[in-house]
Amino acid sequence: MFLNILLVVGTFVFMEGFAWFAHKYIMHGLMWNWHESHHVHHKGWWETNDLFGIIFGVTATALIVIGSEIESLRWLMYVGFGITLYGISYFIFHDVIVHRRVKIKFKTKNRYLNRIIRAHYVHHKVHERDGAEAFGFLYAPKKYEKS
């Protein structure tokens, strides 16, 4: 049981590093044609960028199903749970809190939340493929803390 929990938590933590890498080198690189929709103003709720979430969701679901069906690959189920928890956290932070894609009232005095929100706003000051900074989603260096 402890190893399974460790695998879920470890995968969750790994996903922040993977998301940073994917955001910087894939979304702002080879797949900019999808991600650009997230950096420009648009009407409607759908962004082509949302396809990344679908890909991660399908991947996590496949890992959970494979891991639950094949005893020798049971560990994949816990990796899928970790990816899913990261995806839920990402959605709440990024889509609900920062971009207000779900309309709720939210104000915080929490230094951590304010720092990652500020870092994300700094990221969105650049509307081009190159020149952006702050590629993390759930972590931002202290330099983004309000002085």
Side-chain angles (χ1 to χ4, degrees):
M1 176 68 114
F2 175 75
L3 289 176
N4 296 337
I5 293 170
L6 191 61
L7 197 51
V8 171
V9 171
T11 300
F12 181 93
V13 171
F14 170 82
M15 282 303 296
E16 176 64 8
F18 179 79
W20 177 91
F21 176 87
H23 190 192
K24 182 169 183 166
Y25 295 108
I26 296 172
M27 295 177 186
H28 280 260
L30 181 66
M31 297 301 295
W32 175 251
N33 58 331
W34 284 11
H35 187 60
E36 181 180 23
S37 68
H38 184 62
H39 280 267
V40 296
H41 295 288
H42 60 282
K43 293 180 179 178
W45 61 272
W46 174 259
E47 301 173 357
T48 307
N49 184 67
D50 294 334
L51 291 170
F52 289 113
I54 292 171
I55 289 170
F56 288 125
V58 168
T59 301
T61 302
L63 291 173
I64 291 168
V65 170
I66 291 167
S68 66
E69 294 294 324
I70 303 171
E71 183 68 37
S72 63
L73 299 177
R74 181 78 65 215
W75 61 276
L76 289 176
M77 181 174 71
Y78 299 103
V79 170
F81 288 151
I83 294 170
T84 300
L85 287 175
Y86 184 84
I88 291 167
S89 300
Y90 166 87
F91 175 77
I92 291 168
F93 164 70
H94 183 264
D95 290 337
V96 176
I97 293 174
V98 175
H99 291 293
R100 309 294 171 133
R101 291 179 75 181
V102 175
K103 305 298 182 202
I104 64 163
K105 291 183 179 185
F106 180 84
K107 282 202 173 252
T108 185
K109 292 182 180 186
N110 180 281
R111 285 176 43 184
Y112 164 75
L113 282 176
N114 281 323
R115 182 171 77 214
I116 60 175
I117 290 167
R118 189 171 297 107
H120 201 77
Y121 290 155
V122 166
H123 177 78
H124 276 276
K125 284 184 178 180
V126 175
H127 299 285
E128 304 296 324
R129 176 181 161 169
D130 300 317
E133 60 178 282
F135 292 94
F137 293 107
L138 300 178
Y139 170 78
K142 288 194 182 244
K143 78 177 194 173
Y144 295 105
E145 233 171 69
K146 195 173 191 174
S147 330

